[in-house]
Amino acid sequence: MSGIRVLGGEVERGEQILTPDALEFLAMLHRSFAATRDELLARRAERHPLGFLPETAEVRESEWRVAPAPEPLRDRRVEITGPTERKMTVNALNSGARVWLADLEDANTPHWRNVISGQVNLYDAARDQVEFTSPEGKHYALRDDVARPAVVVRPRGWHLPERNIEIEGRPAIGALVDFGLHFFHNAVLGKPYYYLPKMESYLEARLWNDVFSAAEAALDVPRGAIRATVLIETIPAAFQMEEILYELRERASGLNAGRWDYLFSIIKYFRDAGEDHVLPDRDSITMTAPFMRAYTELLVRTCHKRGAFAIGGMAAFIPNRRDPEVTERALAKVREDKRREAEDGFDGSWVAHPDLVPVCREVFDAKLGDRPNQLHVLRPEVSVSAERLLDFRSAGGRATMAGLESAVDVGVRYLLSWLGGNGAAAIHNLMEDAATAEISRSQVWQWVHNGVVLDDGTPVTAELVRSVLARTAQRLEGEHLDQAVRLFERVALADEFVDFLTLPAYERIA
């Protein structure tokens, strides 16, 4: 295996995943596509005025449709998301959802053990042979009376490295490791389905399509067997939905409204653009805000115009089996959210907890009836301008002391969990992933660097943030608390904005 080194330690059954042939396959992907990936990442630093691209007008104006979806992806009314740890794998496969988004990205801390054991669990899931016994002795096994969901794997974004594998003297690309290992071991069984995150342009979608073509050819898999759903979770991608579908048209199965990362991307892109681009407290920005409505309506219209599925966003509220009142409020909020999406024409939506699957399914069952989806709902009345997508003042609300304290609290709590190996954290009855911490720290950075004054007249300064951070730290405990606090301070108050907090956070884990 010339030029390939595995630097990570031993992981149970790791030799089953990191075979010589699998590593050679990864090396082939890197040698073919790493340079293009590097070029596209460099382009991200070039922030231009946002709008619909004149050079791709022909794509938006011409007639074309994506390839018809394979049978397992034609009904996506409820999708459950979660990391690929063993217990979650069993619970997701038993949940009754139509799709399990097996998340190797934002809900997963990329500790080496998580990276490889996640692949082991996906290997077993593809063969219906996964089970788990907890340290307390509770046994989890696949049920015979529940239909298995289609497994759609979300690899890491293009920006993340995998330092435990070195190819030609440089860290591997996390996206290619996650996709490559899963595809190599499971494509032979069929259903090589993927969710693609964090893209910022149609050129990045073209790169994924080229990767897929090369992978299919290398393993003698029929062309077009791979199917991809793209998360529209960056503000540049919102202006290129049709172009992204076009680049993946042989393989595209839909777009997803990745709402939390979308908010992070807005803050990040306009972080130093002045008062008109400063967002209020996270909790005050709902999906009914005009600029968020423009985003979701455009997504539904674009998808159905091109024969692709529109998948709604995460219902972050989660039930608490020990607190009926919390559970009742959570179910009501999820039901309201899913009804809005179903009425808007979405074909299905996400939940983060098995107890929410029946709620989402009930709402979409009522709307869909006997149909598997809403591709027939074309939304011709929808017309979304660049101005509507960028009208952030329409959000209303203000920056408040409570919002600042919440951003610091949630950001530190999530980092404490992430550094400990858990990328999907239940915080204040919400299921949070890396997007939560990204919103929290980027909003604090934006408020400080734009001289925001809170609704009570208090200016947001670095000193104020540090005092809130100190009070927050006093309320928390944990092995990684000091690291979490220092990391949050670094990414919230640095002179230069850190593109992704998971990059410096990755330096702190094994």
Side-chain angles (χ1 to χ4, degrees):
M1 294 185 294
S2 175
I4 313 168
R5 291 202 304 158
V6 176
L7 307 178
E10 290 187 10
V11 178
E12 184 179 0
R13 292 175 59 192
E15 73 284 353
Q16 187 177 2
I17 300 300
L18 298 170
T19 65
D21 287 346
L23 292 172
E24 288 289 359
F25 180 70
L26 291 186
M28 180 277 292
L29 294 179
H30 281 76
R31 290 165 183 148
S32 301
F33 302 109
T36 302
R37 172 263 198 180
D38 293 347
E39 292 170 9
L40 292 176
L41 285 188
R43 289 171 63 106
R44 289 183 178 184
E46 303 169 7
R47 284 188 288 165
H48 303 289
L50 291 174
F52 297 99
L53 302 178
E55 63 266 30
T56 56
E58 185 177 353
V59 170
R60 297 192 299 275
E61 295 165 2
S62 59
E63 293 294 326
W64 54 270
R65 290 172 69 83
V66 302
E71 182 60 36
L73 295 180
R74 291 179 186 170
D75 188 331
R76 304 179 64 170
R77 67 188 66 200
V78 54
E79 303 191 356
I80 189 168
T81 75
T84 53
E85 56 94 15
R86 195 77 171 180
K87 178 182 171 182
M88 179 63 197
T89 298
V90 178
N91 286 342
L93 295 177
N94 285 339
S95 67
R98 297 296 182 125
V99 166
W100 171 35
L101 187 159
D103 194 358
L104 298 171
E105 195 220 14
D106 271 4
N108 181 62
T109 304
H111 288 70
W112 179 237
R113 182 186 179 281
N114 287 353
V115 170
I116 300 305
S117 65
Q119 293 288 343
V120 169
N121 295 336
L122 290 170
Y123 181 98
D124 289 348
R127 293 158 179 81
D128 285 341
Q129 60 187 31
V130 61
E131 57 184 328
F132 172 71
T133 301
S134 72
E136 298 77 25
K138 186 174 182 180
H139 188 65
Y140 298 79
L142 297 181
R143 292 168 51 183
D144 295 329
D145 60 336
V146 177
R148 303 278 180 267
V151 178
V152 183
V153 176
R154 177 161 71 167
R156 280 169 281 185
W158 281 127
H159 60 288
L160 289 167
E162 176 46 69
R163 68 179 183 218
N164 289 293
I165 297 178
E166 189 178 87
I167 298 176
E168 308 294 358
R170 57 171 281 177
I173 297 166
L176 295 181
V177 170
D178 294 344
F179 160 73
L181 290 176
H182 179 265
F183 184 78
F184 182 86
H185 289 293
N186 302 294
V188 66
L189 301 176
K191 304 179 184 178
Y193 306 149
Y194 299 93
Y195 253 111
L196 306 179
K198 303 288 190 295
M199 281 196 276
E200 296 194 11
S201 79
Y202 71 92
L203 295 175
E204 295 179 22
R206 179 180 296 173
L207 173 58
W208 267 119
N209 197 62
D210 291 343
V211 169
F212 293 157
S213 295
E216 289 168 344
L219 298 188
D220 200 24
V221 171
R223 184 177 178 87
I226 294 173
R227 294 306 171 107
T229 304
V230 176
L231 291 119
I232 300 299
E233 53 185 353
T234 70
I235 185 68
F239 290 92
Q240 300 180 45
M241 294 185 196
E242 291 196 74
E243 293 90 333
I244 287 169
L245 284 176
Y246 182 80
E247 294 295 339
L248 288 159
R249 60 194 179 278
E250 287 183 280
R251 301 179 173 88
S253 290
L255 303 177
N256 171 274
R259 60 179 76 169
W260 301 125
D261 272 296
Y262 187 68
L263 283 175
F264 161 54
S265 176
I266 289 171
I267 299 169
K268 174 180 172 180
Y269 202 89
F270 295 104
R271 58 188 178 266
D272 50 10
E275 185 178 353
D276 286 345
H277 297 88
V278 173
L279 295 183
D281 294 356
R282 169 197 172 189
D283 291 344
S284 71
I285 305 172
T286 69
M287 294 306 293
T288 60
F291 76 96
M292 295 299 282
R293 291 287 294 156
Y295 154 64
T296 54
E297 288 185 326
L298 178 62
L299 189 146
V300 172
R301 185 182 188 279
T302 299
C303 284
H304 291 179
K305 174 184 176 183
R306 302 304 184 181
F309 300 118
I311 309 300
M314 169 72 79
F317 296 95
I318 56 175
N320 184 330
R321 292 170 179 171
R322 295 183 299 275
D323 191 331
E325 290 187 10
V326 168
T327 295
E328 185 177 351
R329 289 195 298 270
L331 295 182
K333 287 181 177 294
V334 171
R335 190 171 285 109
E336 178 186 5
D337 184 54
K338 301 312 163 193
R339 281 176 178 159
R340 176 189 49 75
E341 291 179 329
E343 290 299 323
D344 281 350
F346 281 94
D347 301 289
S349 192
W350 282 7
V351 298
H353 193 284
D355 288 355
L356 298 179
V357 169
V359 178
C360 186
R361 183 172 57 227
E362 173 191 337
V363 170
F364 277 90
D365 282 351
K367 183 63 179 177
L368 296 178
D370 294 333
R371 295 178 183 268
N373 51 61
Q374 297 198 82
L375 287 181
H376 62 288
V377 178
L378 299 179
R379 299 298 306 273
E381 78 282 5
V382 170
S383 178
V384 174
S385 64
E387 289 74 21
R388 281 189 63 199
L389 284 171
L390 299 174
D391 183 16
F392 308 131
R393 302 295 287 179
S394 67
R398 293 286 303 277
T400 70
M401 181 61 74
L404 175 62
E405 291 172 341
S406 175
V408 173
D409 176 77
V410 172
V412 173
R413 285 177 187 269
Y414 181 79
L415 287 172
L416 185 58
S417 174
W418 195 93
L419 292 168
N422 179 22
I427 301 174
H428 305 317
N429 297 303
L430 296 173
M431 186 62 74
E432 309 283 20
D433 66 12
T436 296
E438 292 286 26
I439 293 173
S440 296
R441 65 92 181 186
S442 61
Q443 189 152 60
V444 171
W445 194 99
Q446 185 184 47
W447 289 358
V448 170
H449 286 78
N450 286 273
V452 167
V453 176
L454 301 178
D455 65 340
D456 65 359
T458 304
V460 183
T461 64
E463 291 72 23
L464 175 63
V465 173
R466 289 190 179 100
S467 69
V468 173
L469 193 55
R471 294 197 299 271
T472 300
Q474 290 176 354
R475 297 194 303 269
L476 302 176
E477 59 183 24
E479 177 185 355
H480 303 284
L481 179 59
D482 288 344
Q483 274 192 311
V485 170
R486 289 197 301 271
L487 179 57
F488 187 88
E489 180 177 357
R490 172 184 170 185
V491 296
L493 297 178
D495 291 337
E496 296 295 325
F497 189 88
V498 178
D499 278 345
F500 293 95
L501 69 81
T502 45
L503 292 172
Y506 187 46
E507 299 168 2
R508 291 164 166 78
I509 61 174

